[in-house]
Amino acid sequence: MSDEITEEELRAAEQRWEDEVGCYPFATEVRFDGNWRRIIVKLSTTLEIALDPLRYRGFESASDDALSNIEISGVGYELFFPMLDDGIWLPNTFRDSFPNLRTPAAVKQVAEQMLAA
């Protein structure tokens, strides 16, 4: 078995990325609230969400210092915690939280309906 990526696999991965980029909101600001012990994320839609670090594997025993050191990467889709060498991929969080929006097309359709209202 070869570890090389075929041209077809590369094109399929690029298409999945194109489908995903632009349909999920992305992080524009992020901070850790030590009082509530929540990761507060301001999204491109101006909505703010609070994430419970206990919901994410590898974050259960993270210190407040480790949770306070956050970088936004992945065109705003990843919250990266350098002290943990781990991150939270926001599209997965959205899909897990809203199972009826499992595909980028479904997310885009709901977002367009909300904007039209």
Side-chain angles (χ1 to χ4, degrees):
M1 181 169 164
S2 172
D3 288 339
E4 292 184 33
I5 297 173
T6 66
E7 194 67 30
E8 184 178 314
E9 290 170 325
L10 179 61
R11 279 194 298 276
E14 288 172 343
Q15 185 59 55
R16 284 192 305 274
W17 177 253
E18 287 297 318
D19 289 344
E20 196 162 272
V21 171
C23 81
Y24 291 106
F26 55 89
T28 59
E29 297 174 30
V30 64
R31 64 183 170 79
F32 177 69
D33 184 318
N35 292 327
W36 290 93
R37 201 149 165 60
R38 295 291 184 263
I39 301 159
I40 310 300
V41 185
K42 184 173 183 179
L43 300 171
S44 56
T45 60
T46 70
L47 180 70
E48 286 189 355
I49 59 173
L51 305 177
D52 181 355
L54 294 177
R55 288 192 61 225
Y56 299 92
R57 189 177 352 183
F59 288 73
E60 304 90 351
S61 60
S63 69
D64 285 2
D65 284 342
L67 293 170
S68 295
N69 186 359
I70 314 169
E71 299 172 1
I72 298 172
S73 61
V75 294
Y77 285 157
E78 182 180 21
L79 307 177
F80 182 69
F81 299 78
M83 293 175 71
L84 301 173
D85 193 27
D86 205 350
I88 296 172
W89 187 248
L90 291 176
N92 287 347
T93 297
F94 298 139
R95 284 190 291 263
D96 292 345
S97 299
F98 304 101
N100 59 327
L101 302 178
R102 298 301 270 172
T103 66
V107 173
K108 196 171 203 173
Q109 180 180 12
V110 169
E112 287 171 353
Q113 290 171 350
M114 291 174 68
L115 290 173

